[in-house]
Amino acid sequence: MKTHGLAILAATALLGASACQMTTSTTSVATEAGIGHTHMVKADDQPGQWASYSRTWDEQRYSPLDQINDSNAHRLGLAWFDDLDTYRGVQATPLVIDGVLYNENIFNVVTAYNAKTGEKLWVYDPKVGKEWAGLACCGPSSRGLAAWGNKIIIGALDGRLIAIDRKTGAELWSAQTFDRKEQYSITGAPRVYDGKIIIGNGGADYGSRGFVVAYDAETGKRLWKFYIVPGNPANGPDGEASDSAMKIAAPTWHGKFWETGGGGNAWDSFAYDPELNLVYIGTGNGSPQSWHHRSDSKGDNLFLCSMVAVDATTGAYKWHYQMVPEEDWDYTCTQPIVLADLKIDGKLRKVAMQAPKNGFFYVLDRATGALISAKSYVSVNTWASHVDMKTGRPVVLPNAHNTTTPHIMSPSWMAAHTWHPMSYSPKTGLVYLSAQEQGSIYANQPDGAYQYVRGRNNTGFDHANQPELRKQLMNEIMASEKGYLLAWNPATQSEAWRVPYPHPGSGGVLTTAGNILVQPTINKTVAIYRADNGRKLWEMNVDQAGVAGAMTYMIDGEQYIALNVGWGGSPVYNLAKDGPFRFATAKLLVFKLDAKGVTLPPMKTQDETAYLPRQRIPAEVAARGAALYGETCNRCHGDNAVGGIKDLRRMSKDAHDGFLDIVLNGTLLHKGMPNFSGVLTKAQTEDIHGYLITRAQEDW
């Protein structure tokens, strides 16, 4: 890692002193005891700090700072940056406490910086095994850190919760949150609510039973555990906080769903209301994803794709609202949950808001879970026509459920809104999010064909049948793909304005009292818009299409904006339509008004040249490879090998020659490419390679 335009402290022994010295000169200073309840509920009293993933427990991602505003944002310049030395997606939102910026790179490596100068203070590496990238659907990234007292809390990819001293980086305690033999991983940011660390996990795609756990921030002791879906009924109650909830959920499941876990994993979204003492959990998709193969095409399958409220102290179930009964499309509801007080029809309502994958924007009463309103925020929705306000259930379209015949679903598993952070501005009354319209082809495997394979993306879908129909459908999908920044009025459920982009994939958003909105874009820029009307105020090319959300802080009377830019996390079909989508290494960027003299280096030249093999691949080999690719590779490399983080249709000759070593021996583990030796055989890997050669010949 290289830090530019700044000096680096080499001696770890001096780190604590350096951090303490900076404290005296910051605009906002935490107490000696560090971050606590008063700091979080009165965060606006110390607006220069950013001590939680979205700054505040309500997850609004709104800052009262207004030094940078709609009249001067054009004067922004780069104050400092750090090259994170990776081409993988970097998704974390930094924290800033007492003048120190804490950032998290891939594989949970944490660096503390002087937030004013960029000087590195310390680095903590939890030494997560590179093989864990294979159990994270979208790479070895983390969305951020948590803070409590004088601790920084890490949710590591391998399931550890780790507390480190925020002044020195010394490890204080570590707790393992799941059995490392099971198909779990952690990519979401932990939250700390009144001393209780809340963390979920990923793994539904690989066959697991989702749960959320709470740990004591001081000791690392487990406090409670809440399962999201039922287990094997023959085993009886779990003896956990979720036992009463599982009595509600169990009758909504059928078949032998527990054999592949059931899913529901809460891999990202949480919010907290300290007055109600409620934790809000956004839950995930089913395992396997096909409702037919998971639950015999019967039942709502609670609590998949739901918002669930639990007591923060005990984990006891309070209420739920299910956005997607009969979940059949990988429609996770793990997208951001934002709490706010809204005036709706003349009445002030305490609400929880979410714009999940399925394309509907939901406003719920956060005390009871009652549905207040729901409306589709995308122009195409082939899943449901509307949400019935009498029953609270979606009116699912007649042909939405999957059969063995390929059909288009939009929204798809790639989402109308992904995990990318959204923001609510109390100043404008609008919610802002990165919206997109990306269809995908769905078809169930025939009865008897689906088999669970440990470590593989177990969908229950057929990825290769009726190839001619699939080509026709794929052309329709690519022609209709779009992405845009959306400003949404949640009180009226109506669009306020939008900014169109040439492709989906733009990142999370931040709003401030200065009437600005900050977003990294698919155009490989960082852009700032007026929050009230969407007019562009400033934009800078950074050679990176960031996905993470920005944050802002203040030191010595100067406001800064910081964000990570590092592309990755969701395929885009047309991204490489006019040639390879090239980008620079991921970077942490920090801006302030009138900063000058710091520039980004040019992108490194790439010496890989696409190579087109000439051998003819038998149709049966390509068909087998297509099915295996769909279950193993498409989450990173795109449906039909289109639009992924690495375009496998344009591999170099070295990549073709070394394909077996890359996939089975992990020769690119250092770049984040997992080792599939325990998942794929040599013959299966050769079939996938044959399929990719066929796709290269078809398209290039």
Side-chain angles (χ1 to χ4, degrees):
M1 294 170 62
K2 299 175 182 176
T3 307
H4 298 259
L6 42 93
I8 299 176
L9 277 183
T12 304
L14 298 176
L15 300 180
S18 297
C20 292
Q21 288 166 6
M22 282 189 295
T23 312
T24 61
S25 62
T26 59
T27 299
S28 301
V29 181
T31 66
E32 239 353 90
I35 303 301
H37 175 88
T38 301
H39 181 279
M40 291 306 301
V41 297
K42 296 185 177 180
D44 287 357
D45 291 346
Q46 298 191 54
Q49 310 266 31
W50 190 287
S52 188
Y53 177 62
S54 296
R55 193 179 77 90
T56 47
W57 283 336
D58 54 24
E59 303 287 322
Q60 290 185 4
R61 279 191 176 257
Y62 172 85
S63 170
L65 296 178
D66 61 1
Q67 184 182 87
I68 301 171
N69 56 57
D70 55 10
S71 68
N72 62 20
H74 63 279
R75 290 165 39 199
L76 278 177
L78 190 60
W80 61 269
F81 74 94
D82 190 20
D83 192 324
L84 303 180
D85 197 25
T86 179
Y87 287 98
R88 298 305 300 252
V90 177
Q91 302 175 357
T93 298
L95 304 182
V96 169
I97 304 168
D98 294 354
V100 178
L101 186 149
Y102 303 92
N103 195 37
E104 190 172 18
N105 202 345
I106 61 170
F107 292 109
N108 308 108
V109 175
V110 177
T111 303
Y113 305 83
N114 179 320
K116 184 173 182 176
T117 67
E119 179 182 55
K120 285 185 182 177
L121 304 177
W122 51 256
V123 176
Y124 173 81
D125 185 352
K127 301 198 180 304
V128 174
K130 300 300 183 285
E131 70 276 7
W132 282 90
L135 282 177
C137 87
C138 306
S141 293
S142 172
R143 294 180 187 90
L145 303 159
W148 195 255
N150 285 311
K151 301 176 185 66
I152 298 296
I153 310 296
I154 303 165
L157 192 66
D158 59 12
R160 286 175 290 163
L161 272 184
I162 304 168
I164 59 177
D165 186 291
R166 70 179 174 96
K167 295 182 180 179
T168 67
E171 185 174 318
L172 301 174
W173 58 256
S174 177
Q176 185 65 37
T177 65
F178 57 70
D179 186 340
R180 290 163 68 104
K181 296 178 182 178
E182 300 299 328
Q183 308 293 287
Y184 293 101
S185 62
I186 292 176
T187 56
R191 313 297 204 276
V192 188
Y193 304 138
D194 286 336
K196 294 171 285 293
I197 305 169
I198 308 296
I199 192 69
N201 46 63
D205 299 337
Y206 300 95
S208 64
R209 182 188 181 195
F211 62 86
V212 173
V213 283
Y215 284 77
D216 185 281
E218 288 301 314
T219 65
K221 178 184 177 182
R222 202 189 86 175
L223 301 175
W224 52 258
K225 184 175 187 177
F226 187 94
Y227 280 106
I228 293 164
V229 300
N232 186 344
N235 295 336
D238 298 297
E240 301 291 357
S242 50
D243 280 356
S244 65
M246 292 303 98
K247 292 179 182 178
I248 301 169
T252 69
W253 289 77
H254 299 269
K256 295 183 178 180
F257 61 88
W258 62 88
E259 292 182 350
T260 52
N265 303 58
W267 47 264
D268 193 33
S269 183
F270 298 95
Y272 175 56
D273 184 326
E275 292 184 3
L276 297 171
N277 197 37
L278 291 182
V279 174
Y280 304 92
I281 303 167
T283 73
N285 58 283
S287 176
Q289 291 166 12
S290 165
W291 181 49
H292 178 73
H293 293 298
R294 183 179 68 245
S295 191
D296 295 340
S297 298
K298 300 175 185 175
D300 287 350
N301 291 186
L302 292 171
F303 295 101
L304 297 181
C305 298
S306 303
M307 190 185 301
V308 180
V310 302
D311 183 273
T313 304
T314 66
Y317 165 87
K318 293 299 181 180
W319 58 256
H320 78 275
Y321 176 80
Q322 188 175 39
M323 282 82 165
V324 189
E326 306 174 354
E327 200 285 300
D328 202 14
W329 309 274
D330 187 10
Y331 281 168
T332 63
C333 293
T334 51
Q335 286 62 44
I337 296 169
V338 176
L339 311 183
D341 295 346
L342 299 183
K343 185 169 277 191
I344 301 174
D345 296 329
K347 183 180 178 182
L348 192 65
R349 303 293 299 268
K350 293 182 178 295
V351 307
M353 302 178 285
Q354 191 180 40
K357 273 189 181 183
N358 68 19
F360 284 88
F361 192 101
Y362 295 87
V363 180
L364 307 180
D365 184 303
R366 69 175 183 263
T368 67
L371 176 66
I372 296 173
S373 63
K375 187 174 180 181
S376 185
Y377 58 90
V378 289
S379 60
V380 177
N381 199 321
T382 60
W383 169 59
S385 60
H386 63 285
V387 176
D388 187 320
M389 290 305 299
K390 291 182 179 178
T391 65
R393 294 177 65 87
V395 180
V396 178
L397 293 169
N399 298 319
H401 272 298
N402 301 318
T403 68
T404 55
T405 300
H407 70 131
I408 295 174
M409 289 299 295
S410 181
S412 68
W413 65 271
M414 289 178 285
H417 172 220
T418 66
W419 64 266
H420 299 172
M422 72 180 191
S423 176
Y424 168 73
S425 168
K427 186 169 184 175
T428 64
L430 301 178
V431 170
Y432 308 88
L433 64 141
S434 178
Q436 53 196 44
E437 299 179 21
Q438 291 178 291
S440 186
I441 301 169
Y442 287 75
N444 280 337
Q445 288 181 299
D447 288 339
Y450 168 69
Q451 279 189 319
Y452 171 71
V453 179
R454 183 179 175 84
R456 191 178 294 171
N457 183 17
N458 288 272
T459 61
F461 299 150
D462 193 319
H463 297 275
N465 67 332
Q466 301 190 41
E468 292 305 314
L469 174 58
R470 286 177 176 273
K471 288 180 182 179
Q472 173 189 328
L473 297 177
M474 196 68 196
N475 287 335
E476 293 178 30
I477 288 169
M478 293 179 69
S480 62
E481 182 183 58
K482 65 175 67 171
Y484 42 94
L485 169 62
L486 180 65
W488 189 261
N489 186 326
T492 61
Q493 288 282 20
S494 60
E495 180 177 325
W497 52 261
R498 72 169 61 188
V499 175
Y501 290 122
H503 305 290
S506 294
V509 295
L510 162 74
T511 57
T512 78
N515 192 34
I516 63 169
L517 180 150
V518 186
Q519 184 184 36
T521 81
I522 195 64
N523 296 328
K524 296 187 282 191
T525 67
V526 176
I528 294 185
Y529 303 92
R530 283 184 63 110
D532 56 356
N533 61 25
R535 182 169 67 85
K536 187 186 294 183
L537 299 169
W538 174 89
E539 189 169 27
M540 175 179 170
N541 173 53
V542 295
D543 289 330
Q544 258 288 359
V547 292
M551 52 83 71
T552 186
Y553 59 94
M554 181 170 276
I555 301 176
D556 292 341
E558 287 189 298
Q559 184 182 353
Y560 298 77
I561 293 171
L563 76 162
N564 287 301
V565 289
W567 167 249
S570 186
V572 177
Y573 292 122
N574 290 304
L575 200 56
K577 189 174 182 180
D578 299 320
F581 183 71
R582 293 188 58 231
F583 48 86
T585 51
K587 294 175 179 65
L588 168 64
L589 306 177
V590 181
F591 303 93
K592 70 173 184 176
L593 294 175
D594 302 318
K596 293 180 175 61
V598 179
T599 58
L600 296 175
M603 274 195 291
K604 297 175 184 176
T605 58
Q606 296 179 353
D607 54 8
E608 288 190 2
T609 302
Y611 173 74
L612 185 64
R614 296 298 181 183
Q615 68 260 45
R616 290 186 63 84
I617 304 299
E620 62 272 18
V621 171
R624 290 197 305 266
L628 289 161
Y629 175 92
E631 294 291 347
T632 314
C633 315
N634 74 327
R635 289 305 169 111
C636 287
H637 296 289
D639 281 348
N640 208 31
V642 175
I645 193 169
K646 173 73 174 178
D647 191 331
L648 298 183
R649 296 167 299 173
R650 299 182 67 91
M651 286 188 285
S652 66
K653 188 174 188 305
D654 286 346
H656 280 289
D657 292 344
F659 192 83
L660 290 178
D661 278 338
I662 291 169
V663 176
L664 297 178
N665 296 328
T667 56
L668 293 182
L669 266 177
H670 63 288
K671 291 188 175 181
M673 170 64 190
N675 180 339
F676 288 93
S677 59
V679 178
L680 295 168
T681 66
K682 179 182 177 183
Q684 290 173 326
T685 306
E686 289 172 338
D687 286 346
I688 292 173
H689 190 204
Y691 164 69
L692 294 172
I693 290 172
T694 300
R695 290 294 297 114
Q697 292 169 345
E698 288 173 344
D699 289 1
W700 302 109

